Amino acid sequence: MNITLLANRDLASIVAINYLLQQAEQHSYCVFLSAKVGGNQDKPEALAKLSFFEQDLFNDILFPALSLSSSHNRRFKSFDDLEDMSIAVKEMANINTEQGWQDIASTKPDLIVSIRFGQILKSDVIKLPKYGVLNLHSGRLPDYRGVMATFWAMLDNQQDLATTLHFIQDAQIDAGDIISINSQPTDYSKSYLWNVLSLYRKGVKSIARAIETLQLDGKLEQQQVDIALGNYFSFPNETHLRQFAEQGNQLIDVNEIKEFAWLFMRDDQPLNQAR
């Protein structure tokens, strides 16, 4: 199956991509990356710091350093490593332009899978793949639509976090028919970023199962979602971030960053045993 992946150039996306390539490696992949999620509004200082650890630290420092050594034995691959595996990785400036449509169409996708992609898909692209467009959302739908769903769930003191695998059927955000929801306990002793990354092991398994089912049966069981019953969230402001901290939560923990970096440096850590 030709699978076109839409992702973001960030830590969570490359972790999720690694899980998927390990669990469904027999397929042909092409990756298109957005540079960010959301608009161009100025970020509070705490979110700018989070962005550094999610993107700049790995993309601009760690991954270029790793490229100087052999990637063949490392279980977690960087974006550059993917190209060494003959997986095309391309930037996507605007998927809804004629050029964007042509770039996606040129991959002849049987299926498009979106994980943290920072652009809204419109009908011309949605209609391209035979099996449709799947999106893995790092939140429970329809309760937590929008961005940073894990943050909002932690702010609400939710005892579990979830990923939702659903179809993208139109330009509405996080509104398509649901295929599956996977949940796990919230670990409040860990940071927001740690909790986000920990969601993708189960979440990506649901993608792998969906791909297998589509290949065998050509369709997936799905459930309609009533977005009126849920909530849409944008980026938190200074008040939300202060409340998050006052509850004893952290967006990032530098000690955990070492753990994340180590994933990409080890050659003896199977993906299905990584956190």
Side-chain angles (χ1 to χ4, degrees):
M1 185 184 295
N2 286 337
I3 299 174
T4 297
L5 296 177
L6 306 179
N8 197 47
R9 190 176 281 279
D10 62 18
L11 176 60
S13 291
I14 192 60
V15 167
I17 289 171
N18 272 283
Y19 282 132
L20 183 58
L21 294 179
Q22 182 72 15
Q23 296 173 27
E25 61 184 349
Q26 68 272 30
H27 302 285
S28 175
Y29 292 94
C30 179
V31 180
F32 288 92
L33 298 173
S34 58
K36 61 183 178 179
V37 174
N40 296 316
Q41 68 270 33
D42 291 335
K43 293 180 179 180
E45 182 179 351
L47 292 187
K49 184 177 180 181
L50 174 65
S51 179
F52 170 78
F53 283 103
E54 284 185 311
Q55 295 186 288
D56 300 345
L57 176 62
F58 285 82
N59 292 328
D60 298 339
I61 300 174
L62 179 64
F63 291 160
L66 288 176
S67 69
L68 300 176
S69 62
S70 173
S71 67
H72 297 299
N73 294 325
R74 293 199 303 269
R75 296 302 301 237
F76 273 61
K77 310 296 186 182
S78 70
F79 291 111
D80 289 339
D81 292 338
L82 298 183
E83 297 197 79
D84 292 339
M85 299 165 59
S86 299
I87 297 174
V89 179
K90 305 175 183 178
E91 300 290 334
M92 177 57 72
N94 187 341
I95 199 169
N96 295 306
T97 62
E98 178 63 25
Q99 183 61 55
W101 182 91
Q102 289 180 5
D103 288 344
I104 299 296
S106 69
T107 68
K108 300 179 180 179
D110 296 306
L111 177 70
I112 293 176
V113 176
S114 173
I115 305 172
R116 299 176 63 85
F117 189 63
Q119 301 172 30
I120 297 171
L121 275 62
K122 296 183 179 178
S123 59
D124 286 348
V125 171
I126 294 170
K127 291 186 293 186
L128 274 172
K130 174 182 178 180
Y131 296 117
V133 181
L134 299 181
N135 180 57
L136 183 65
H137 176 67
S138 57
R140 185 181 299 276
L141 295 179
D143 299 341
Y144 292 96
R145 299 171 56 230
V147 298
M148 292 186 68
T150 299
F151 171 91
W152 296 106
M154 292 178 71
L155 188 65
D156 288 343
N157 291 309
Q158 293 290 336
Q159 294 307 299
D160 67 277
L161 302 171
T163 56
T164 303
L165 183 63
H166 67 97
F167 279 105
I168 294 179
Q169 292 154 312
D170 55 40
Q172 294 186 94
I173 298 174
D174 301 328
D177 292 350
I178 291 175
I179 299 159
S180 63
I181 297 177
N182 287 285
S183 62
Q184 65 186 44
T186 311
D187 190 341
Y188 284 99
S189 71
K190 299 288 189 177
S191 70
Y192 155 81
L193 182 56
W194 188 96
N195 276 281
V196 170
L197 294 179
S198 71
L199 287 169
Y200 284 103
R201 181 164 51 171
K202 277 188 178 180
V204 170
K205 282 184 179 179
S206 68
I207 299 176
R209 287 194 297 267
I211 292 171
E212 182 179 2
T213 301
L214 284 172
Q215 194 165 37
L216 291 174
D217 301 334
K219 60 182 180 179
L220 294 168
E221 292 186 9
Q222 55 203 73
Q223 179 181 356
Q224 289 187 332
V225 58
D226 185 353
I227 61 174
L229 299 177
N231 303 282
Y232 177 83
F233 295 92
S234 186
F235 287 102
N237 58 29
E238 294 282 8
T239 299
H240 300 128
L241 292 164
R242 183 169 59 252
Q243 182 183 352
F244 189 79
E246 288 172 350
Q247 291 175 192
N249 300 316
Q250 298 183 83
L251 286 179
I252 55 172
D253 182 331
V254 174
N255 291 321
E256 294 169 0
I257 298 299
K258 299 174 186 176
E259 177 185 339
F260 306 149
W262 190 238
L263 291 175
F264 294 90
M265 299 167 68
R266 294 185 63 169
D267 61 7
D268 60 346
Q269 176 78 2
L271 281 170
N272 60 7
Q273 293 180 14
R275 288 183 178 179

